Amino acid sequence: MRRLIAATLAVVSAAGLTALAGCAAIPASSDIQVVRSMPEGAGLVPPPGPERGVDPFRLVREFIEATGSSTNGHAAARAFLSRHAASSWDDRAGLTVIDDAPGASPQAGAAGGVRRIRVSGSRLGTLSADGTFTPDTGTFAVSLDVVSEHGEWRIANPPPGVLVEATALQRNYRQVRVCFVDPSRGTLVPDLRWVPALPVATLPGRVLDLLLAGPSARLTGAVQSAIPEGIRLRSNVLVGRSGRTVINLSGLDAMTDQQRRLIAAQIVGSLDGLVPAPLRLLADGEPLVPGQIEWRPADITSYAAPTGPRADVPGQVVVGGRLRGLRGTPMPGPAGSGALRLLSAAQSNPGGELLAAVVAGPDGPQLRMGPVDGDLALAPLVARTLTRPTWRPSGTEVWTVVNGDAVMGVALSGAGPPLAYRVDATELTRLGTITQLRLSRDGVRVAAVIGGRLVVAAVVNDSGTLTLRHPQVLGEDSLPPLSSVDWARPEILVVASAGATPQVESVSVDGLTRRALSSTNLTGPLTAIVAAPGREVLVADATGLWGYSDTQEVWEPILGGIGPGSEPLYPG
């Protein structure tokens, strides 16, 4: 995966930024722009098929390249097969994403003019029928028999399923955000999927089919759909004479106005960037929501989940045991005065009115919570270690990891002391010691550093019991051991390496796309990283605190010369 995305993600396209606005919770612009869809029609011409006289090794190589195009049942790839193989190849047996440029070598054992070529390389994961990418790193090897047919070499035994190089997948598939609902707050949550980019005319219909089918396995229990089972499209997605996209559902009977509006929000959010606004939403030919037939993204902003701090809330840093602004000014209250010796802290999102701080206590670290400029109440936790707190969207609760293996929630309770509760993190702790845990700002996922590895999981609320489910290790064979992680956006993480050589990367929440950020001016080891939509990324290294945005080529000093040990924070 080391070659993955190096060329594909180096350039951010303006057309892609428009598509990223799906689910109404993702801002139109950000300092981190990594995952994006290819512009319609760009680089999507299927390969023309093998040239006359092509040699066996080149034939095999170009066959692998051609598998990226799924158009007409992988017609481009079938052109490299023998006549019998082209008609019998089962291309629906699964799609495996592999690293670019796999190796090919001759293999003994073939006879009768057959050339046997072994293709091998790194496996990155699988793409399921619902467009979900699942990381599954390892190696693969297949033996392809190349035979002469009418004087031309052709492959006679393609294995079931499809092997697709990562960059070919991104060239020929489009990443979309299918919007589901956070049942606790009624806000939209993006579920990342990959769908064939061609034919363009059927793309909206394919996305709606995914929406009607429900959430992916990795978000099962964490989100739900307002669209009942059995609902279907009454007709194909149509474009009326006025140029407006028309979507007509069937089967929506006794539903409240509120339920219908939430369905409309899911549809508009899922198709944002794929079809022009406004959309005409119908149910059995009548307006889906009585009194409103046309819908635009602006109509669903009330369903947007929290994504980042308010523009007027600055970042802060814990340095020398005190909370300071990014220009070094001490913050008011005990957190900034030195009355408490802070080890790390987190402000509530989006306004930063409340502070949760890990402070040095007489018998070990303590967690304290309260107004950012006032007294901080002691939480009932006894610990040898506490990770930096992370706020839930309610704005009154934080999570921290006690001693690396117990995820604890702490909630403010009015005038009384904070209340502690345990989060079931069994599926995470099986993977190792948790050294950092960050809730996404919509509260639906967590990102964690476990044994130096990057792990994401879903937050499931089952009748009041909170559980971290469906953990996935991202970049297991390609990312270096990590010290820190944070959410740049609902679908993008940033990570910092733990070793002597500084590395900072952004990673999509499904693990398929990565981008290395510059490391110029940084000195390892990196100890902390924070990010937020519309903000520069902050990193603490062996010399101090540094800031970076995509408009820069190097990291620029913030509070230069403060030395190691700073802990930056944005609300969240």
Side-chain angles (χ1 to χ4, degrees), residues 217-240:
R218 63 180 167 226
L219 286 178
T220 300
V223 299
Q224 63 187 23
S225 180
I227 306 174
E229 291 186 13
I231 302 303
R232 58 183 177 82
L233 288 171
R234 187 175 183 181
S235 62
N236 293 333
V237 178
L238 304 174
V239 178

Side-chain angles (χ1 to χ4, degrees), residues 294-458:
E294 293 191 346
W295 290 80
R296 295 172 172 82
D299 296 323
I300 64 170
T301 55
S302 61
Y303 298 99
T307 58
R310 292 200 317 251
D312 62 335
V313 181
Q316 298 176 349
V317 61
V318 173
V319 58
R322 301 186 182 194
L323 184 64
R324 298 177 178 268
L326 294 180
R327 295 184 178 181
T329 305
M331 303 304 294
S337 68
L340 299 171
R341 181 167 180 79
L342 273 63
L343 304 176
S344 65
Q347 282 182 283
S348 58
N349 187 55
E353 296 89 353
L354 299 177
L355 184 74
V358 177
V359 305
D363 300 313
Q366 301 173 339
L367 179 68
R368 291 179 174 268
M369 299 171 63
V372 70
D373 57 354
D375 293 332
L376 303 179
L378 178 64
L381 299 177
V382 177
R384 298 185 307 274
T385 62
L386 291 172
T387 59
R388 183 163 73 93
T390 181
W391 286 87
R392 298 194 72 200
S394 65
T396 59
E397 300 173 60
V398 298
W399 287 2
T400 183
V401 183
V402 177
N403 302 333
D405 61 5
V407 178
M408 298 297 297
V410 179
L412 292 172
S413 58
L419 303 176
Y421 60 91
R422 185 148 187 167
V423 178
D424 185 350
T426 304
E427 294 185 24
L428 263 66
T429 55
R430 287 172 183 161
L431 300 174
T433 300
I434 305 172
T435 55
Q436 193 168 81
L437 184 80
R438 307 304 303 161
L439 275 156
S440 60
R441 288 179 174 85
D442 61 13
V444 174
R445 299 177 176 93
V446 294
V449 176
I450 303 179
R453 297 179 296 173
L454 174 61
V455 180
V456 295

Side-chain angles (χ1 to χ4, degrees), residues 54-67 80 102-105 115-120 142-146 153-155:
V54 65
D55 65 79
F57 278 93
R58 184 179 170 190
L59 179 85
V60 167
R61 172 64 193 157
E62 292 182 353
F63 167 70
I64 297 295
E65 292 177 352
T67 58
F80 291 81
S105 59
R115 303 284 184 89
R116 181 164 293 167
I117 298 175
R118 184 176 186 269
V119 179
S120 60
V142 296
S143 296
L144 298 178
D145 290 345
V146 182
W153 293 108
R154 294 294 183 265
I155 298 168

Side-chain angles (χ1 to χ4, degrees), residues 177-201:
R177 286 148 184 78
V178 185
C179 292
F180 296 100
V181 181
D182 177 352
S184 300
R185 286 169 286 275
T187 53
L188 297 180
V189 177
D191 192 356
L192 298 187
R193 310 291 183 89
W194 293 85
V195 295
L198 292 177
V200 173

Side-chain angles (χ1 to χ4, degrees), residues 21-382:
C23 293
I26 303 173
S29 62
S30 169
D31 291 328
I32 299 278
Q33 303 288 357
V34 180
V35 184
R36 80 271 190 253
S37 303
M38 295 292 294
E40 292 182 1
L44 297 177
V45 178
E51 296 180 2
R52 291 185 61 84
V54 65
D55 65 79
F57 278 93
R58 184 179 170 190
L59 179 85
V60 167
R61 172 64 193 157
E62 292 182 353
F63 167 70
I64 297 295
E65 292 177 352
T67 58
S69 172
S70 64
T71 303
N72 296 327
H74 290 93
R78 290 182 192 274
F80 291 81
L81 307 180
S82 67
R83 181 174 299 178
H84 173 73
S87 62
S88 61
W89 178 39
D90 181 9
D91 63 328
R92 298 186 178 183
L95 191 155
T96 301
V97 184
I98 62 175
D99 203 351
D100 294 345
S105 59
Q107 188 175 10
V114 176
R115 303 284 184 89
R116 181 164 293 167
I117 298 175
R118 184 176 186 269
V119 179
S120 60
S122 297
R123 183 184 68 244
L124 306 180
T126 59
L127 194 70
S128 63
D130 69 356
T132 301
F133 175 76
T134 301
D136 181 21
T137 57
T139 60
F140 77 94
V142 296
S143 296
L144 298 178
D145 290 345
V146 182
V147 301
S148 179
E149 188 173 83
H150 304 298
E152 297 290 339
W153 293 108
R154 294 294 183 265
I155 298 168
N157 64 333
V162 182
L163 298 173
V164 178
E165 294 172 307
T167 53
L169 178 77
Q170 294 174 77
R171 245 190 345 262
N172 292 280
Y173 282 67
R174 181 161 182 166
Q175 190 182 67
V176 297
R177 286 148 184 78
V178 185
C179 292
F180 296 100
V181 181
D182 177 352
S184 300
R185 286 169 286 275
T187 53
L188 297 180
V189 177
D191 192 356
L192 298 187
R193 310 291 183 89
W194 293 85
V195 295
L198 292 177
V200 173
T202 62
L203 184 58
R206 293 198 296 274
V207 172
L208 288 176
D209 287 340
L210 296 177
L211 176 61
L212 295 176
S216 62
R218 63 180 167 226
L219 286 178
T220 300
V223 299
Q224 63 187 23
S225 180
I227 306 174
E229 291 186 13
I231 302 303
R232 58 183 177 82
L233 288 171
R234 187 175 183 181
S235 62
N236 293 333
V237 178
L238 304 174
V239 178
R241 294 179 181 178
S242 62
R244 287 167 170 77
T245 302
V246 180
I247 297 167
N248 193 5
L249 300 176
S250 178
L252 290 172
D253 295 323
M255 301 191 71
T256 67
D257 183 78
Q258 182 179 2
Q259 290 172 317
R260 289 172 176 265
R261 287 184 177 278
L262 195 50
I263 291 172
Q266 285 188 247
I267 295 172
V268 174
S270 299
L271 295 183
D272 189 19
L274 301 180
V275 296
L279 281 68
R280 292 192 172 217
L281 303 184
L282 306 176
D284 294 315
E286 299 295 327
L288 170 62
V289 177
Q292 183 171 356
I293 189 171
E294 293 191 346
W295 290 80
R296 295 172 172 82
D299 296 323
I300 64 170
T301 55
S302 61
Y303 298 99
T307 58
R310 292 200 317 251
D312 62 335
V313 181
Q316 298 176 349
V317 61
V318 173
V319 58
R322 301 186 182 194
L323 184 64
R324 298 177 178 268
L326 294 180
R327 295 184 178 181
T329 305
M331 303 304 294
S337 68
L340 299 171
R341 181 167 180 79
L342 273 63
L343 304 176
S344 65
Q347 282 182 283
S348 58
N349 187 55
E353 296 89 353
L354 299 177
L355 184 74
V358 177
V359 305
D363 300 313
Q366 301 173 339
L367 179 68
R368 291 179 174 268
M369 299 171 63
V372 70
D373 57 354
D375 293 332
L376 303 179
L378 178 64
L381 299 177
V382 177

